[in-house]
Structures are given as C-alpha cells and as structure tokens.
Amino acid sequence: YDSHAEGVLDKADGGIRFVSIGIRVDLKVAEADREKAEATLAKAEKHCLVANSLKCPVHVEVAHLGSPAVFS
C-alpha cells in the first residue's frame, strides 16, 4: 500500500481553506482479492470519518490495483 494526498487551497470567507483534497492509492493485492479490494476502497471513501468531517470534497483515485510483488 502507498498513497499520495494533494490539497487545493483558496481564499474564502476571510481566510484560506481547502477547497478539494485528492488521495491517490496504489494497492497491491492478489488477483483473486481484486474485487474485494475495490469494494473495500469504495466503502472506506464513503464512510471516512475525516473526509466526512471536512467542508470540501475528498476524492480517492486508485492509481494501481495490481498483484503484489513476489520475492524469492
């Protein structure tokens, strides 16, 4: 798992605040678990306590949902 977050700031209501936040997720899972991982990510985005507490939209983008590296 790896992720990268990026926010956009703007002046509003007499101060500076976030107007949007994006989170890019790189998740490596076995192919058999891909559907479950996608459903889990969607559920996490919908029910995220932090995202639901913010006044700006938070978008989650899955950058890579692939097989984990195999080490020998």
Side-chain angles (χ1 to χ4, degrees):
Y1 169 83
D2 188 34
S3 65
H4 174 80
E6 187 173 290
V8 177
L9 296 171
D10 197 6
K11 290 182 182 179
D13 302 325
I16 297 175
R17 67 180 185 96
F18 283 103
V19 293
S20 70
I21 296 173
I23 303 170
R24 185 178 174 137
V25 177
D26 184 359
L27 182 63
K28 293 174 178 62
V29 297
E31 189 60 37
D33 296 328
R34 184 183 183 99
E35 190 174 311
K36 184 176 180 179
E38 289 173 342
T40 300
L41 285 168
K43 188 175 181 180
E45 181 177 11
K46 180 178 179 181
H47 299 289
C48 177
L49 177 63
V50 174
N52 290 333
S53 298
L54 298 172
K55 293 183 178 182
C56 67
V58 177
H59 304 282
V60 176
E61 171 192 353
V62 178
H64 181 260
L65 185 59
S67 299
V70 176
F71 298 98
S72 53

